[in-house]
Amino acid sequence: MAAYDKADLERRMNGAVESLKHDLAGLRTGRASTTLLDPVTVEVYGAHMPIVQVATVSAPEPRMLSVQVWDKSNVGPVDKAIRSAGLGLNPIVDGQTLRLPIPDLTEERRKELAKLASKYAENARIAARNVRRDGMDNLKADEKKGEFGEDERKRHEAEVQKLTDATIADIDAAAAAKEKEILGK
C-alpha cells in the first residue's frame, strides 16, 4: 500500500485554507458581520455553547448586530459572554434582543487586526508546508519500498510542490484581501 495519497494532501491543504478563511471571518473590520460572534461561547444550562445555539444573530444595519435570545433566562449570560469576549462590543439589552453597535476602529486597532490576520496567514502557510513535507516523506518511503522508481517520485514531488504553491497563493490572496478590508484601503 503506497503511503503517498494525492487526494489526502489536497484535502489537508484545502483544510488549511478553509481554516484560515474561518479565522479571518472572525476579525472585525468595522462593518457588522454575523461571523463576528462565532467565537463567543455562552454558559447556559450548565454547559458552554456557541452563541448561535441560544440566539439568532443578524446584521440589520451595516454598523449594528442584533442578537435575538430565544430563552428569556439566557439574556444575562449572553450579554456577559459578549462583553467578556474581548471584541470591544457593548450590548444594549432591549427585552430579549441585544443590540450591538459596531464602534469605529481606531488606527491602532486596525494595525493590530492586520498583524493578527498576517499571523493567521503564516500559521496556514506553515500547515501547508507541513502537509508538503509529509507528502515528500511518503514519496521517499514509497520509492524505498519499491512502489515506484525515481522518475515517478520526482514527477509526484513536482505535483506536490505545484499543489503547495497554489495553496500558499490562495492563503496569501485571502490574507491580503482581509488586510485591505481591515485597513480600509
Side-chain angles (χ1 to χ4, degrees):
M1 172 70 196
Y4 172 69
D5 180 356
K6 186 178 177 193
D8 182 56
L9 294 178
E10 285 177 357
R11 183 188 54 76
R12 289 171 57 198
M13 285 200 187
N14 286 338
V17 174
E18 290 309 310
S19 176
L20 170 69
K21 286 180 179 172
H22 183 267
D23 289 344
L24 292 178
L27 289 181
R28 198 154 73 83
T29 59
R31 284 203 321 265
S33 166
T34 56
T35 57
L36 186 59
L37 298 178
D38 282 356
V40 178
T41 57
V42 184
E43 192 172 341
V44 288
Y45 312 120
H48 287 278
M49 303 172 97
I51 200 163
V52 294
Q53 290 185 2
V54 294
T56 303
V57 180
S58 62
E61 300 170 34
R63 304 193 55 77
M64 175 81 68
L65 281 177
S66 173
V67 180
Q68 179 70 42
V69 184
W70 301 328
D71 184 344
K72 199 176 186 111
S73 65
N74 293 337
V75 173
V78 169
D79 180 37
K80 183 180 168 201
I82 293 170
R83 286 179 192 277
S84 62
L87 297 169
L89 300 173
N90 292 310
I92 300 162
V93 180
D94 181 12
Q96 281 182 240
T97 304
L98 283 82
R99 291 194 321 272
L100 289 86
I102 309 292
D104 280 331
L105 292 173
T106 62
E107 192 58 35
E108 187 181 324
R109 183 70 177 135
R110 285 179 192 275
K111 286 183 177 139
E112 281 174 28
L113 289 171
K115 270 187 197 156
L116 192 55
S118 49
K119 186 179 132 210
Y120 287 161
E122 186 53 33
N123 289 344
R125 280 188 214 96
I126 290 168
R129 287 193 289 264
N130 287 342
V131 173
R132 175 185 169 275
R133 186 194 61 225
D134 290 349
M136 296 296 193
D137 290 349
N138 289 343
L139 285 169
K140 286 179 183 126
D142 284 350
E143 185 186 16
K144 274 190 182 130
K145 283 191 270 177
E147 297 275 341
F148 45 73
E150 184 181 353
D151 290 346
E152 197 169 344
R153 175 185 57 90
K154 285 186 176 173
R155 191 173 52 76
H156 285 310
E157 280 180 352
E159 282 177 5
V160 171
Q161 187 58 51
K162 200 170 168 181
L163 179 63
T164 305
D165 293 344
T167 302
I168 289 180
D170 288 350
I171 289 168
D172 290 345
K178 190 63 174 190
E179 282 182 37
K180 187 176 172 186
E181 190 182 334
I182 288 169
L183 296 171
K185 292 180 180 164

